[in-house]
């Protein structure tokens, strides 16, 4: 997947793909949506319309597919999948269930519309990680963490000293009860230079433990509950800034905290 991204960047003037689509009617960024993967698996309204499929097609898992060439790379068959309750009726249609794909890996959504030249430490900045823990999502995907961009009229992108657009910020998501201890006490990452490594995500230190994990440069999480369930993520604010972004996923992070 990391290699596919490098080829994608070569074709897009070094611009990273969108971490979410744009509503074709309102122009609003769909930052909090679980996009369908692939974009055309659901033949029920309104998801079978050209507009909705185009919006889902902008999502990273679909837009880089011509370079990855296999949706199966996003998944791991050994883990039980999570099905969105709203999709139960749609999955009951055999043709839909046959086309839908699972996503276990998530994309660093802070890279939405960012140029690769803006990344301070490509070999250390996560590109993909197991942001659903052991819970691949059936037929959908998400960027995690993600920018929060409520203003449709202003471009949405990482701003090191302020919000990504007026009134915006950043957020992270985690499946309820999912463990971050995917392999041992950690998980696999692909980095912005296409390298891949295993990273330990930290010891169990339930919130509000006075001594949280402080491995800002390797683990995204400040607190890990019993069973390896993350409860809080590290957010960093640089001097003079007004908005915090997840420490491990900031493009300007030099990993010297």
């Amino acid at each position: 997947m990391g290699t596919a991204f490098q080829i994608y960047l070569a074709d897009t003037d070094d611009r990273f793909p969108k971490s979410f689509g744009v509503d074709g009617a309102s122009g609003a960024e769909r930052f909090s949506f679980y996009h369908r993967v692939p974009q055309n698996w659901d033949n029920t309204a309104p998801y079978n319309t050209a507009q909705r499929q185009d919006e889902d097609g902008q999502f990273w898992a679909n837009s880089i597919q011509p370079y990855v060439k296999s949706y199966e790379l996003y998944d791991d068959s050994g883990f039980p999948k999570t099905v969105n309750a709203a999709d139960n009726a749609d999955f009951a249609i055999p043709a839909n269930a046959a086309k839908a794909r699972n996503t276990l890996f998530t994309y660093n959504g802070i890279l939405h519309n960012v140029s690769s030249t803006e990344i301070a430490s490509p070999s250390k900045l996560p590109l993909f990680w197991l942001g659903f823990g052991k819970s691949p999502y059936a037929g959908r995907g998400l960027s995690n963490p993600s920018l929060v961009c409520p203003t449709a009229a202003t471009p949405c992108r990482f701003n090191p000293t302020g919000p990504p657009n007026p009134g915006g910020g950043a957020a992270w998501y985690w499946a309820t009860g999912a463990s971050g201890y995917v392999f041992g006490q950690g998980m696999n990452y692909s980095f912005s230079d296409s390298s891949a490594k295993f990273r330990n995500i930290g010891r169990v230190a339930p919130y509000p433990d006075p001594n949280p994990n402080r491995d800002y440069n390797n683990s995204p999480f400040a607190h890990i509950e019993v069973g390896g369930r993350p409860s809080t993520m590290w957010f960093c604010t640089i001097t003079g800034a007004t908005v915090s972004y997840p420490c491990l996923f900031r493009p300007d992070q030099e990993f010297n905290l």
Side-chain angles (χ1 to χ4, degrees):
M1 289 170 65
T3 300
F5 248 74
Q6 295 303 311
I7 303 171
Y8 174 94
L9 290 171
D11 287 347
T12 58
D13 295 326
D14 290 329
R15 187 75 56 182
F16 281 93
K18 293 179 179 294
S19 59
F20 38 77
V22 177
D23 188 311
S26 67
E29 306 274 358
R30 299 175 67 215
F31 60 87
S32 60
F33 280 66
Y34 285 78
H35 294 66
R36 279 167 169 70
V37 180
Q39 68 263 37
N40 61 353
W41 72 258
D42 195 339
N43 67 359
T44 59
Y47 310 111
N48 59 352
T49 64
Q51 176 180 314
R52 181 56 67 89
Q53 291 183 6
D54 177 70
E55 293 167 6
D56 285 338
Q58 299 170 37
F59 178 62
W60 69 267
N62 294 318
S63 66
I64 72 165
Q65 187 52 214
Y67 301 87
V68 177
K69 300 185 183 299
S70 173
Y71 281 102
E72 281 67 30
L73 287 181
Y74 302 154
D75 191 18
D76 189 312
S77 59
F79 299 124
K81 64 186 178 183
T82 298
V83 179
N84 190 302
D87 290 339
N88 284 332
D90 298 338
F91 272 107
I93 300 172
N96 285 346
K99 291 176 67 176
R101 295 294 180 264
N102 304 331
T103 56
L104 179 67
F105 283 90
T106 56
Y107 171 51
N108 175 1
I110 310 302
L111 294 175
H112 178 76
N113 288 331
V114 163
S115 168
S116 63
T117 59
E118 299 174 61
I119 297 177
S121 301
S123 65
K124 297 179 180 179
L125 181 71
L127 180 62
F128 294 111
W129 67 301
L130 295 165
F132 286 145
K134 292 184 177 181
S135 300
Y137 230 92
R140 300 200 191 207
L142 186 71
S143 297
N144 189 24
S146 179
L147 299 177
V148 176
C149 294
T151 308
T154 305
C156 175
R157 72 186 319 278
F158 172 69
N159 175 3
T161 61
N165 75 15
W172 71 289
Y173 309 92
W174 196 262
T176 302
S179 175
Y181 289 167
V182 182
F183 305 111
Q185 290 191 329
M187 58 179 68
N188 297 330
Y189 290 76
S190 178
F191 297 90
S192 302
D193 67 345
S194 80
S195 63
K197 296 182 179 71
F198 171 85
R199 288 286 174 85
N200 191 300
I201 66 168
R203 64 183 178 84
V204 171
Y207 185 79
D209 187 296
N211 297 302
N213 297 303
R214 295 195 179 277
D215 192 2
Y216 308 98
N217 299 320
N218 290 291
S219 175
F221 305 114
H223 296 276
I224 306 293
E225 302 285 351
V226 174
R229 297 184 299 274
S231 59
T232 55
M233 180 179 275
W234 285 121
F235 275 67
C236 296
T237 305
I238 66 172
T239 302
T242 57
V243 172
S244 293
Y245 293 89
C247 302
L248 195 67
F249 300 95
R250 294 183 62 121
D252 59 350
Q253 162 75 290
E254 295 184 351
F255 299 91
N256 56 7
L257 298 176

